Amino acid sequence: MTLNRRQFIGTGAAALASRAVLAGGCRVPPVNVMMICLDDLNDWCGFLGGHPQAVTPNIDQLAREGTAFTRAYCVVPLCNPSRVSALTGLSPMRTDVWTNDDDGSALPNIVQHFRSFGYHTARTGKVFHASNILPTDPPDTWDEL
C-alpha cells in the first residue's frame, strides 16, 4: 500500500488514539513501527536511483514493503537541529535549537510518546546529538540501547 506522508501520519495517530481510548476495554492489536534516521544518506540507494556503485538490497526491499518518503527536507543544515525537529515534530523556531551545541534534550519526543503507550523502544548508533555539553539521550527514551 502506498501512502503519502499526511496519510501515514494520520494512520499512525489514529492507531495511537484508538489504543489510548480503548485501553481499558477492548484490546487493540499494537501497530509495529520502525523509524530509520539517517544522516548524509543522499540518494545512494537502489530504490532512489542513486549511485550506481551502491548495492543496497535490504533497504530497497524495506522500501518496497513499507512506506518510503522520497523527498528530503532539511530545516537547518546541521545534524542536531534537524534531528530535534524530526524527533519532536517542531521547527527550530519553536525549539530554539539552531546549532549542534544547543540542547534539545528536555523537549518531549516521539520515542518517549511511543514508549508511554507501552511500545518497546530500541536504538542503535547515534540518534540524539551528543557533544561535550549535551547528554547523549534524554531520560526515559529507550528500553534498549
Side-chain angles (χ1 to χ4, degrees):
M1 169 173 32
T2 302
L3 300 173
N4 66 32
R5 187 178 73 136
R6 186 174 302 275
Q7 291 168 325
F8 177 78
I9 291 170
T11 302
L16 288 174
S18 299
R19 186 169 181 196
V21 170
L22 300 175
C26 302
R27 291 287 174 212
V28 177
V31 177
N32 292 324
V33 177
M34 179 189 300
M35 180 175 175
I36 300 174
C37 298
L38 303 168
D39 275 350
D40 304 324
L41 181 64
N42 293 319
D43 65 345
W44 290 13
C45 24
F47 80 95
L48 292 174
H51 197 279
Q53 291 179 328
V55 179
T56 58
N58 294 327
I59 200 156
D60 295 344
Q61 181 179 353
L62 187 62
R64 281 192 305 273
E65 295 175 4
T67 301
F69 300 113
T70 58
R71 295 183 184 168
Y73 297 97
C74 177
V75 294
V76 175
L78 293 170
C79 60
N80 187 38
S82 292
R83 288 177 188 192
V84 169
S85 289
L87 293 167
T88 64
L90 301 172
S91 74
M93 294 181 80
R94 298 273 313 271
T95 64
D96 204 31
V97 176
W98 293 97
T99 72
N100 286 340
D101 289 328
D102 291 337
D103 187 358
S105 65
L107 298 165
N109 63 65
I110 193 167
V111 181
Q112 292 167 330
H113 179 75
F114 274 99
R115 192 169 185 234
S116 74
F117 279 93
Y119 281 82
H120 177 82
T121 59
R123 73 155 173 90
T124 183
K126 179 175 80 171
V127 176
F128 292 92
H129 191 272
S131 72
N132 54 353
I133 65 164
L134 295 178
T136 303
D137 294 283
D140 301 322
T141 302
W142 306 108
D143 294 313
E144 184 178 339
L145 298 175

